[in-house]
Amino acid sequence: MNKLAVKMERQARGVHHFNIEHRDDMTVLDVLEEIYRNHDASVAYRFSCRIGLCATCMMMINGKPGLSCMKRAEPGCDGTMSLAPFLKGNTIRDLVKEV
Ligand code: FES
């Protein structure tokens, strides 16, 4: 396992940084679950189908829109994987958008 640096924009709670254990086959959703289970259980994110059909898990991943359940977790140009809420719609909390 390697370490993966993660930067998460959490709206009113600011930008938080995590350094997690990382496997090459992990999706972004896997990383969020690792953060939730082992680093910060207050992190809010949303998912449902886990197979790329519902789009509930849409967010900005390294500056581009993507489905966290389908996108492989990897660092961006600056060596950190950045996560932020999807740009459209109201953000309820952290990475969770109003539906
Ligand atoms: S959880 Fe349904 S598309 Fe990602």
Side-chain angles (χ1 to χ4, degrees):
M1 281 204 184
N2 303 318
K3 290 284 189 177
L4 176 67
V6 180
K7 177 177 72 175
M8 184 186 301
E9 289 181 32
R10 300 179 74 181
Q11 298 295 294
R13 296 198 271 180
V15 176
H16 288 211
H17 295 265
F18 303 94
N19 202 21
I20 67 151
E21 296 288 336
H22 172 251
R23 295 182 321 272
D24 288 342
D25 64 347
M26 288 177 89
T27 65
V28 173
L29 182 56
D30 292 331
V31 167
L32 287 167
E33 290 180 330
E34 168 68 16
I35 290 171
Y36 178 80
R37 288 191 186 120
N38 298 314
H39 296 266
D40 185 347
S42 73
V43 167
Y45 57 101
R46 184 178 272 159
F47 65 95
S48 181
C49 70
R50 291 180 166 270
I51 54 173
L53 293 176
C54 71
T56 302
C57 65
M58 178 72 78
M59 63 184 64
M60 302 304 290
I61 302 166
N62 292 329
K64 296 180 181 166
L67 300 173
S68 69
C69 70
M70 301 302 290
K71 178 80 175 151
R72 186 173 297 242
E74 56 191 12
C77 302
D78 63 354
T80 299
M81 183 172 78
S82 67
L83 302 177
F86 187 53
L87 298 178
K88 279 187 170 179
N90 295 328
T91 303
I92 297 172
R93 186 174 145 197
D94 295 344
L95 303 172
V96 177
K97 302 301 289 191
E98 196 171 79
V99 290

